[in-house]
Amino acid sequence: MDTMEHFLKVELQNQDAYTEMVQFIASLYIRSGEFEGEEYVIRKLDHINFIVVRECNGVDGEREISQPVVISRQALISKINKHVLNQGIALINVCV
């Protein structure tokens, strides 16, 4: 399973998680920042570019980052919407 598939499976399990995530990604009022999920962090670099990365604490207590994915806003929302449709979660209307 690749990083994006695992991200979608872990982070998008219900309507609330989906709604909060998509509102963060689509918001033009948030220029940069982070959205922290269960295992993944979405870093908003600007209105168009995002990094999706899995963060966890290693055995020694240090933060470990694995396989970051750089993706555009439109591609990220498209992947998220496709996944939640298959899960039976209702889509929300956002401008992309």
Side-chain angles (χ1 to χ4, degrees):
M1 180 179 311
D2 75 358
T3 300
M4 281 306 293
E5 287 178 43
H6 189 258
F7 159 73
L8 295 170
K9 183 178 178 183
V10 169
E11 300 297 341
L12 295 168
Q13 297 184 13
N14 59 55
Q15 185 73 46
D16 290 338
Y18 163 68
T19 301
E20 289 177 23
M21 185 182 297
V22 169
Q23 286 176 341
F24 168 78
I25 294 167
S27 175
L28 297 177
Y29 298 106
I30 303 171
R31 292 185 183 187
S32 65
E34 292 184 351
F35 180 88
E36 294 186 23
E38 296 296 321
E39 292 183 28
Y40 287 83
V41 174
I42 301 172
R43 289 198 175 95
K44 189 174 200 177
L45 304 175
D46 54 33
H47 293 303
I48 300 169
N49 301 294
F50 295 81
I51 297 174
V52 178
V53 64
R54 187 176 185 188
E55 289 188 358
C56 58
N57 290 326
V59 185
D60 56 359
E62 294 291 320
R63 182 175 69 162
E64 293 182 6
I65 298 173
S66 61
Q67 300 179 337
V69 174
V70 178
I71 190 167
S72 71
R73 178 179 62 183
Q74 186 173 7
L76 182 55
I77 290 176
S78 176
K79 286 181 183 287
I80 289 170
N81 284 344
K82 183 178 178 182
H83 176 79
V84 297
L85 270 176
N86 292 334
Q87 300 300 314
I89 297 173
L91 294 180
I92 62 170
N93 187 16
V94 293
C95 297
V96 178

